[in-house]
Amino acid sequence: RKFSKTLSESGSYKRQLNMHLKMLDFCSMYDHTVTWKQNRKAGTTRLFCESAEYKDWKDQSGSVTLVYTASLGSGKSVFLANLVDDLHLHVQDSNVPVVYFFCRYDITESLQARTIIGSIARQLLGRMQSQFLNSDLAMRDFLDRNKLGDYETIFFLLQRVLASDLKAYI
C-alpha cells in the first residue's frame, strides 16, 4: 500500500508539473532572455548605481515607477540590461522576482502586446510553482477558463496565483 501510495503521489505531482508548464506555455513561449543577453554583452555600465534616484527607487516598498529617457542610439538598452543585472544581484537572497522584456524593432513578435504581456506573466508565474502545485482548484479553473480570450486567461492566472502584496521589479 505504501509503495502504491508513493507511485500515486508521484504521478499526481508529475501531472501538476505538466499543468504548470502548460500554463506557462499558454502565457508565452517567446525567449525574452536573448535580447537581454545581447544588450548585456554590448557593454557595461554602473552609472545608475551612483544615482540617488535609482537607489531610492530600488529600496521603495510601494509601487514606484522609474523612467529613463534619452535619444535614439544613446545606449538605453545597454543601460537597462545592466540595471536588470544589478536588480538580480540585489534580490538574489530574497523571493522578489525581477521581470523584464526588451523590444527589438527588427523582431516583429517582440513588438506585439500579446508577446510582451504573456512574457511578463510567464516570468511572474514561473516563480510561483509552489502555489500551482498546492492548488488543484487553480488547475481546474485554468482548464475551464482557457476557453476565454488570451488576455482574460492570463490576467485570471495572475490574479489567482500572485499574492496581492507581492513585490516585484518589472
Side-chain angles (χ1 to χ4, degrees):
R1 285 184 182 182
K2 186 176 183 180
F3 180 70
S4 176
K5 182 180 178 188
T6 303
L7 285 177
S8 175
E9 289 172 354
S10 174
S12 175
Y13 182 75
K14 276 186 173 180
R15 280 191 301 280
Q16 289 175 329
L17 283 176
N18 286 337
M19 178 57 68
H20 183 240
L21 184 59
K22 182 179 176 182
M23 287 184 210
L24 295 179
D25 286 346
F26 173 80
C27 290
S28 176
M29 293 186 62
Y30 183 86
D31 188 355
H32 67 279
T33 62
V34 171
T35 305
W36 172 70
K37 288 177 182 177
Q38 290 169 341
N39 286 322
R40 201 51 195 95
K41 194 180 276 190
T44 303
T45 182
R46 303 293 297 164
L47 288 174
F48 58 87
C49 291
E50 299 167 13
S51 165
E53 292 85 5
Y54 175 70
K55 290 176 186 175
D56 290 343
W57 173 81
K58 190 166 67 169
D59 294 330
Q60 291 291 322
S61 60
S63 179
V64 182
T65 303
L66 179 66
V67 178
Y68 285 106
T69 59
S71 59
L72 188 65
S74 62
K76 292 181 300 296
S77 294
V78 172
F79 182 81
L80 292 174
N82 282 271
L83 190 141
V84 167
D85 197 35
D86 182 68
L87 287 174
H88 278 294
L89 293 173
H90 176 69
V91 301
Q92 77 186 58
D93 294 331
S94 67
N95 199 25
V96 176
V98 176
V99 178
Y100 59 90
F101 190 90
F102 287 84
C103 295
R104 286 204 28 190
Y105 73 91
D106 57 340
I107 301 176
T108 307
E109 184 182 8
S110 76
L111 301 174
Q112 297 173 357
R114 173 61 175 87
T115 302
I116 298 166
I117 291 170
S119 179
I120 289 170
R122 181 184 177 111
Q123 292 174 66
L124 286 168
L125 295 172
R127 298 205 27 131
M128 305 299 157
Q129 180 175 329
S130 61
Q131 283 85 337
F132 279 112
L133 299 180
N134 294 329
S135 175
D136 284 335
L137 183 59
M139 306 282 187
R140 277 187 254 122
D141 283 346
F142 172 75
L143 290 174
D144 293 340
R145 294 189 177 264
N146 205 3
K147 298 172 185 98
L148 294 174
D150 281 353
Y151 293 106
E152 291 89 357
T153 305
I154 290 172
F155 293 136
F156 170 80
L157 287 171
L158 290 171
Q159 290 171 336
R160 187 86 172 130
V161 175
L162 300 181
S164 60
D165 62 344
L166 173 74
K167 179 178 179 174
Y169 291 102
I170 302 175

